[in-house]
């Protein structure tokens, strides 16, 4: 009997801060600027240049620390992390080590280890077919990104599944978005996540040997990468093998996991206090400013959604923990007074099923269209199945729901002109066996008749109407 | 006008202001002397005077600048092959401030590679010769600046001091050298050796020149250097004639063993002179000073190993030809680009920061540093200044200590305590002494160390001593 294994997952997250200038110099942050145009002696690591810490970045980091309930250090120190790489012009990264700005903290039941400030590396571009270093003929460096302020957030290993890891990161993202300290966009690299993964015998309190999965650049890949690594470790352990401590790369296309470096190849970073900078002394005024800059965090927003719009707890969390979705929801609710919030929440789930992680504000469905659709459905002018069809069209082509309903004849079939009554009659005539069963007291059999009517009306009929008419015609 | 060379920098500045001296002629005179330098003191000399700002307070008296200060468009190589031909796109704050004040760039002076050395023999551009005896070293690492000022190849100069690199060459060349309070002068644009110790300062013919030059190096803190500090008050021009009421402490740990008899003799004579001028001279204790050298040779290499990591052949400077891969490019570039002393210190520094050794070396050295600062603080409760010789020896022969790095490091044992404490220290010439085996008498330096920001008072005391000592360096300026 092989023991049952339990995954233990920790995340290490890097967030690019949305300051105006870089972490240690006055260069503006890059948003697609031509390569090497936003540089200076400091971020190029020219001889003699010195760093000066960006006060705004420290302010943002304090906001993050407060929002995550961390303990904020009144004295924290920058360290140098020494290693050679072409994207690191000084030969060291200015980071924090044993005296970080924030320690501890918790988000949605997952405790945090620490939060600290550092600078981003430059961007290496490998010229050649693959875009990866292997097989590339030449590599060039764009220093625009070098020196961008980063906050590193490290969790305790308290996540238990790939789905939970993804959900948790989504909430963290919403938290950071609501603080307006970062774009937190995984595809663009302003949010980057590494995962530490290990397995242990279920119920054990000891930790197994962990591996580190590097830089998964979407929520989906994060979930899939962790799942793949759990599966790989499970196979190894069940075959009686052991896990090696190493750094891994997950290829989302092939689903393959490859080793980047083993424990033996791990670097000695020779951390020591950065002598070019003075320690950060966090003053009461800095803390007050950070506290005052924090507006509504996702948890508070969820509570407000419950109070203000009467949403269920689940719906409120679902929306509030996804920042853009929550914004979109509020826009839809604002279209018309008195609109049913819970209905909108239900229909936003339908929208998410169609557009995935995309920001709904960037989709073709405008908040006005969404509001109109929900109103049409509430007024029973469009049935639920027809509403889903309308939504399909809106997602594909945009436009307003009333016109879509009009053009495609998707309006609800009520029995004003007797048309629905006729269709019900045909359904009854076409399925005597079902009629038999219904009459015999099998109430569930009525579903077959309703289904036939729905098929015939392409979902436009109202289910309750149809059931009523069937009963009337069968005289039961 | 042959008398021009005899004017000190501050005398020349005053004469220019009075309209008696043409700043263009002064520049040309020194430019000519620098361009025909036979001491190898310069690595680059200006073609012509830069356009002067209107009515500069320093009048336009030209300035020799140690190679490691970045100067826009002008070679700034820090004495290293790895930066051969490197011309930075910007100018160091202190050089910029001095140019604005009216001390235009005359030339760049030779130095030990990345300021690592006490003899100027570690330069990729060859050793500098001591104008008092060309078979001997000028000291280091600011040897080019010291030799240039001593030999009248520059009216004045700036250098940098990490563990004595201004004071020791000033002593060996018979001029004045001052290391300011750490943070008083901006380090922005100084090619770093050891960030927590490096400090720029003046090398001048006399104390008044040092005060005048320093007064334009300090002031408002530089927003580009996070460790720089506002200087609490303007530097006062020295004028003191007596030492009445001045209390001098003589640390027994730094005035006994390991010092040449000639140097010690000159030191004792200067103490006697100070008493005659009214000072009280008593012995004091710096109990941790004997450990300063060991701590320094852990901390400075540690910082240097990191500071010099940027010289990797990727963006600027020397790159080894046809490397096989990235690692071999790094290895060969740094092996061929750095000299042997720099490589030794990079390896030493890398070792002491390594995991498992950090606490035993770096951590311990930091604690020693704290204790040394506390020793000085305690001494300054009883004394205005602590005094000791600047260098344990007079200028030594070229090549005589190259084979023995430890013997070379011992040159610094009197200067590193003040460096570790971050306090100002100054060296003035206090006479000549023959080297141990006999021979031509050579300059000796007398060192004062004071509390942070005591530069004005220290210069004032040094001025009184200077007047009484009457040291004459004219012989080597002809
Ligand atoms: Zn920059």
């Amino acid at each position: 009997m092989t023991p049952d294994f339990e995954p233990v997952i920790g995340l290490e997250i890097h967030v690019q801060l949305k300051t105006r200038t870089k972490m240690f110099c006055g260069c503006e942050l890059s948003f697609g600027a031509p390569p090497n145009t936003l540089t200076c002696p400091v971020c190029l690591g020219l001889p003699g240049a010195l760093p000066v810490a960006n006060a705004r970045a420290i302010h943002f980091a304090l906001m993050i620390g407060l929002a995550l309930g961390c303990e904020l250090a009144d004295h924290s120190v920058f360290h140098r992390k020494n290693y050679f790489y072409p994207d690191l012009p000084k030969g060291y990264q200015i980071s924090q080590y044993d005296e970080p700005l924030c320690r501890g903290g918790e988000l949605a039941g997952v405790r945090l280890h620490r939060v600290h400030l550092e600078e981003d590396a430059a961007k290496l571009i490998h010229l050649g077919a693959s875009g990866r270093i292997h097989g590339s003929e030449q590599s060039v460096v764009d220093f625009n990104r070098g020196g961008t302020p980063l906050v590193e957030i490290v969790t305790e290993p308290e996540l238990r599944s790939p789905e939970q890891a993804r959900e948790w990161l989504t909430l963290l993202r919403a938290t950071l978005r609501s603080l307006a300290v970062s774009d937190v966009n995984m595809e663009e690299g302003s949010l980057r996540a590494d995962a530490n993964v290990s397995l242990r015998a279920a119920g054990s309190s000891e930790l197994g040997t962990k591996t580190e999965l590097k830089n998964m650049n979407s929520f989906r890949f994060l979930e899939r990468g962790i799942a793949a690594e759990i599966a790989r470790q499970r196979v190894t352990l069940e075959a009686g093998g052991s896990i090696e401590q190493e750094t891994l790369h997950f290829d989302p296309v092939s689903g393959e996991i490859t080793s980047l470096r083993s424990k033996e190849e791990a670097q000695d970073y020779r951390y020591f206090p950065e002598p070019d900078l003075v320690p950060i002394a966090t003053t009461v005024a800095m803390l007050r400013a950070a506290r005052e800059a924090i507006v509504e965090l996702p948890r508070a927003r969820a509570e407000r959604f419950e109070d203000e719009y009467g949403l269920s707890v689940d719906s409120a969390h679902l929306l509030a923990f996804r920042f853009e979705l929550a914004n979109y929801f509020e826009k839809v609710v604002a279209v018309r007074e008195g609109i049913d919030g819970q209905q909108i929440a239900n229909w936003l789930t339908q929208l998410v099923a169609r557009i995935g992680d995309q920001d709904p504000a960037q989709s073709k469905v405008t908040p006005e269209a969404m509001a109109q659709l929900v109103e049409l459905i509430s007024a029973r002018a469009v049935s639920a199945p027809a509403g889903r069809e309308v939504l399909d069209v809106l997602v594909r082509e945009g436009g307003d729901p009333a016109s879509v309903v009009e053009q495609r004849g998707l309006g609800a079939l009520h029995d004003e002109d007797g048309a629905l009554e006729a269709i019900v009659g045909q359904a009854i005539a076409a399925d005597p066996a079902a009629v038999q069963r219904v009459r015999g007291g099998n109430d569930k059999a009525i579903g077959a008749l309703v289904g036939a009517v729905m098929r015939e009306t392409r979902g436009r009929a109202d289910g309750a109407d149809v059931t009523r008419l069937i009963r009337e015609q069968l005289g039961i | 006008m042959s008398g021009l060379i005899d004017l000190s920098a501050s005398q020349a500045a005053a004469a220019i202001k009075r309209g008696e001296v043409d700043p263009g002629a002064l520049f040309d005179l020194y430019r000519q002397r620098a361009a025909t330098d036979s001491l190898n003191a310069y690595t680059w000399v200006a073609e012509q005077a830069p356009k002067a700002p209107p009515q500069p307070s320093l009048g336009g008296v030209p300035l020799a600048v140690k190679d490691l200060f970045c100067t826009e468009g002008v070679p700034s190589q820090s004495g290293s092959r790895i930066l051969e031909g490197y011309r930075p796109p910007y100018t160091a704050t202190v050089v910029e401030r001095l140019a604005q004040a009216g001390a235009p760039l005359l030339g760049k002076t030779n130095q030990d590679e990345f300021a690592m050395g006490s003899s100027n023999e570690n330069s990729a551009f060859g050793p500098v010769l001591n104008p008092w005896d060309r078979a001997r070293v000028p000291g280091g690492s600011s040897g080019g600046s010291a030799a240039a000022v001593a030999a009248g190849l520059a009216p004045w100069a700036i250098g940098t001091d990490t563990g004595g690199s201004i004071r020791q060459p000033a002593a060996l060349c018979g001029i004045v050298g001052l290391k300011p309070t750490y943070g008083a002068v901006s380090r922005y644009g100084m090619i770093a050796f050891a960030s927590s110790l490096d400090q720029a300062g003046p090398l001048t013919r006399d104390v008044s020149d040092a005060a005048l030059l320093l007064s334009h190096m300090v002031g408002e803190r530089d927003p580009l250097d996070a460790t720089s500090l506002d200087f609490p008050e303007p530097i006062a021009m020295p004028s003191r004639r007596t030492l009445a009421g001045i209390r001098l402490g003589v640390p027994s740990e730094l005035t006994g063993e390991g010092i040449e008899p000639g140097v010690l003799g000159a030191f004792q004579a200067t103490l006697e002179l100070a008493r005659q001028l009214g000072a009280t001279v008593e012995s004091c204790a710096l109990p941790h000073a004997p450990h300063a050298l060991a701590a320094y040779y852990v901390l400075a290499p540690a910082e240097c190993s990191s500071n010099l990591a940027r010289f990797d052949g990727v963006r600027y400077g020397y790159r080894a030809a046809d490397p096989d891969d990235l690692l071999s490019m790094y290895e060969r570039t740094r092996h061929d680009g750095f000299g042997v002393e720099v490589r030794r210190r990079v390896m030493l520094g890398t070792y002491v920061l390594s995991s498992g050794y950090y606490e035993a070396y770096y951590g311990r050295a930091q604690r020693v540093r704290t204790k040394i600062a506390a020793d000085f603080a305690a001494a300054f409760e009883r004394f205005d200044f602590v005094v000791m010789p600047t260098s344990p020896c007079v200028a030594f022969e070229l090549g005589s200590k190259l084979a023995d790095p430890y013997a070379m490091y011992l040159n610094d044992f009197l200067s590193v305590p003040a460096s570790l404490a971050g306090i100002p220290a100054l060296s003035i010439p206090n006479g000549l002494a023959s080297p141990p085996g006999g021979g031509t008498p050579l300059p000796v330096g007398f060192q004062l160390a004071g509390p942070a920001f005591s530069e004005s008072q220290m210069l004032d005391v040094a001025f009184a001593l200077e007047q009484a000592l009457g040291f004459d360096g004219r012989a080597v300026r002809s």
Side-chain angles (χ1 to χ4, degrees), chain B residues 414-425:
Chain B
L414 299 170
S415 50
V416 293
S419 298
L420 290 173
I423 56 174

Side-chain angles (χ1 to χ4, degrees), chain B residues 81-278:
Chain B
R81 186 182 174 207
I82 211 160
L83 278 176
E84 196 165 351
Y86 175 68
R87 292 167 190 258
Y90 75 105
T91 297
T93 300
V94 64
V95 177
E96 189 63 45
R97 278 194 188 181
L98 289 173
Q100 285 306 313
L105 178 63
L106 170 65
K108 301 295 288 287
T109 54
N110 203 346
Q111 59 166 92
D112 281 301
E113 185 178 9
F114 288 107
M116 297 174 205
S118 309
S119 70
N120 222 301
E121 294 166 292
N122 299 334
S123 168
F125 307 104
V128 178
L129 311 181
N130 190 319
W132 292 82
D133 179 347
R134 286 165 184 251
R136 291 176 185 269
V137 304
S141 65
S142 309
S145 286
V149 171
L153 307 176
W156 49 13
I158 57 171
T160 60
D161 190 313
T162 305
S165 280
I166 287 174
R167 291 163 284 161
Q168 186 254 13
L172 268 50
C173 289
I175 62 166
V176 174
L178 187 154
K179 180 201 92 73
T181 306
Y182 182 79
V185 181
S186 169
R187 292 186 295 114
Y188 191 77
M190 268 166 53
I191 300 173
F193 161 20
S195 309
S196 74
L197 296 156
D198 294 346
Q199 190 59 197
L203 292 108
T204 57
R205 242 182 243 182
D206 63 27
V207 173
S208 301
D209 284 1
L212 184 60
L213 197 54
L214 180 69
S215 70
H216 293 277
M217 297 174 77
V218 303
E220 270 183 47
R221 69 179 298 272
D222 181 3
L224 298 178
D225 175 0
T227 64
S228 78
L229 299 164
D230 285 325
F231 206 85
E233 70 224 337
I235 297 292
M237 287 308 117
S239 59
R240 180 184 274 275
R241 294 284 168 175
T242 81
L243 294 181
I246 299 295
R247 300 160 301 164
L248 301 180
V250 182
S252 48
E253 298 84 356
L254 300 178
T255 47
E257 262 178 78
I259 301 174
E260 284 177 7
V263 172
L264 218 42
F267 178 68
Q268 298 300 347
T270 305
L271 292 183
E272 188 47 43
L273 186 66
R275 281 196 193 93
Q276 288 167 18
L277 289 170

Side-chain angles (χ1 to χ4, degrees), chain A residues 41-339:
Chain A
V42 177
C43 57
L44 287 176
L46 295 191
L50 297 172
V52 177
N54 183 334
R56 190 84 185 147
I58 295 170
H59 171 70
F60 281 175
L62 289 173
M63 285 173 66
I64 293 171
L66 284 169
L68 299 177
C70 304
E71 187 188 318
L72 306 184
D74 50 13
H75 174 99
S76 86
V77 175
F78 287 107
H79 271 65
R80 289 188 185 175
K81 180 181 182 178
N82 295 285
Y83 64 97
F84 287 96
Y85 210 61
D87 63 5
L88 196 65
K90 298 187 294 297
Y92 54 84
Q93 178 196 31
I94 304 177
S95 181
Q96 296 198 282
Y97 184 54
D98 55 0
E99 296 182 72
L101 192 61
C102 319
R103 286 178 204 269
E106 175 270 332
L107 181 68
V110 175
R111 284 181 303 155
L112 299 172
H113 181 59
R114 58 186 279 155
V115 175
H116 77 237
L117 269 170
E118 59 186 31
E119 58 178 339
D120 207 348
K123 200 170 183 175
L124 264 183
I125 299 153
H126 303 294
L127 307 177
S130 71
R132 291 191 64 192
I133 192 162
H134 298 291
S136 132
E137 283 170 15
Q138 208 185 350
S139 300
V140 292
V141 195
D142 176 6
F143 288 98
N144 282 357
R145 193 183 74 175
T148 299
L150 285 184
V151 153
E152 180 178 309
I153 300 169
V154 184
T155 75
E156 297 291 355
E158 296 185 344
L159 294 156
R160 291 289 173 265
S161 72
E163 300 75 30
Q164 192 199 358
R166 176 186 176 151
E167 279 303 305
W168 187 87
L169 190 62
T170 307
L171 171 59
L172 177 70
R173 181 178 179 280
T175 305
L176 297 170
R177 278 292 269 132
S178 62
L179 295 173
V181 295
S182 170
D183 289 333
V184 269
N185 185 316
M186 282 193 99
E187 284 76 12
E188 289 169 8
S190 50
L191 173 65
R192 308 199 279 269
D194 304 336
N196 290 311
V197 178
S198 63
L199 293 187
R200 67 180 173 198
S204 162
S205 59
E206 265 171 59
L207 292 172
T209 305
K210 69 180 177 187
T211 56
E212 188 180 8
L213 269 175
K214 277 292 191 193
N215 260 331
M216 287 153 291
N217 60 1
S218 80
F219 286 89
R220 209 151 43 90
F221 296 162
L222 174 89
E223 186 177 338
R224 281 171 43 193
I226 295 173
E229 175 55 11
I230 290 171
R232 187 190 72 88
Q233 290 191 16
R234 191 184 295 276
V235 167
T236 305
L237 291 173
E238 281 176 353
S242 61
I243 303 301
E244 262 183 70
Q245 188 175 333
E246 56 189 337
T247 306
L248 305 170
H249 170 80
F250 171 68
D251 184 336
V253 180
S254 65
E256 243 171 76
I257 287 175
T258 47
S259 180
L260 290 173
R261 58 178 175 269
S262 69
K263 189 189 179 188
E264 286 70 38
E265 295 168 287
Q267 308 221 31
D268 180 356
Y269 293 120
R270 308 188 312 279
Y271 281 100
F272 76 104
E274 163 59 291
D276 287 332
L277 291 167
V278 290
I280 305 172
T282 309
T283 62
V284 174
M286 284 160 74
L287 284 178
R288 192 189 312 123
R291 200 167 281 125
E292 283 169 1
I294 296 175
V295 280
E296 188 182 47
L297 296 174
R299 242 178 293 195
R301 198 175 196 184
E303 278 167 31
R304 180 166 63 79
F305 284 0
E306 289 175 45
D307 294 347
E308 216 165 289
Y309 307 116
L311 297 196
S312 71
V313 177
D314 284 351
S315 291
H317 280 226
L318 186 93
L319 293 178
F321 288 7
R322 300 181 61 169
F323 185 77
E324 284 82 5
L325 190 60
N327 287 352
Y328 186 81
F329 167 75
E330 299 214 67
K331 281 192 191 125
V332 179
V333 181
V335 168
R336 205 108 52 231
E337 219 173 299
I339 198 162

Side-chain angles (χ1 to χ4, degrees), chain A residues 22 25-27 38-40 42-43:
Chain A
K22 293 185 181 180
C25 66
C27 293
L38 299 171
T39 61
C40 73
V42 177
C43 57

